[in-house]
Amino acid sequence: TQSSAPVTNTKVTSKKKAKFRRGAYKLKMTMSVRAKASNKGRVVGYLSKGKRIYVKAVKNVKWGKITYRGKSSYVSLNYAKKL
């Protein structure tokens, strides 16, 4: 027969560090600048590979809020390196 040891329901929770934070970044490739923090957001311009940007906030996990031509806009931080 098998042992009938009590089974405890242990839930392991990991506290993931936020992948992206506000601060300075350098773009790894040419990026679309969008009006909303989404791939569906209207493209308002482009930033070239190597461009340094300052991210004021992070929205929807990966979107960096920047100022582009005087307006708040967003770039994906998946292809940017934190400086």
Side-chain angles (χ1 to χ4, degrees):
T1 65
Q2 290 184 342
S3 170
S4 60
V7 176
T8 57
N9 188 4
T10 57
K11 184 177 180 184
V12 178
T13 58
S14 63
K15 290 186 178 182
K16 282 187 175 182
K17 275 182 121 178
K19 186 174 179 181
F20 300 112
R21 301 185 310 262
R22 64 185 206 166
Y25 286 81
K26 183 177 179 180
L27 301 181
K28 296 180 189 176
M29 60 187 293
T30 298
M31 302 290 299
S32 299
V33 180
R34 298 185 177 270
K36 293 186 178 183
S38 165
N39 285 332
K40 294 181 181 179
R42 182 174 48 89
V43 175
V44 295
Y46 298 91
L47 292 173
S48 300
K49 176 182 177 179
K51 177 77 174 171
R52 292 172 188 245
I53 59 172
Y54 183 79
V55 172
K56 300 185 288 185
V58 177
K59 299 202 86 171
N60 299 341
V61 182
K62 69 171 188 170
W63 293 94
K65 183 177 184 179
I66 64 170
T67 299
Y68 180 77
R69 295 187 178 174
K71 295 186 177 183
S72 290
S73 303
Y74 298 88
V75 293
S76 171
L77 296 176
N78 283 339
Y79 302 100
K81 179 181 177 183
K82 182 90 167 85
L83 300 176

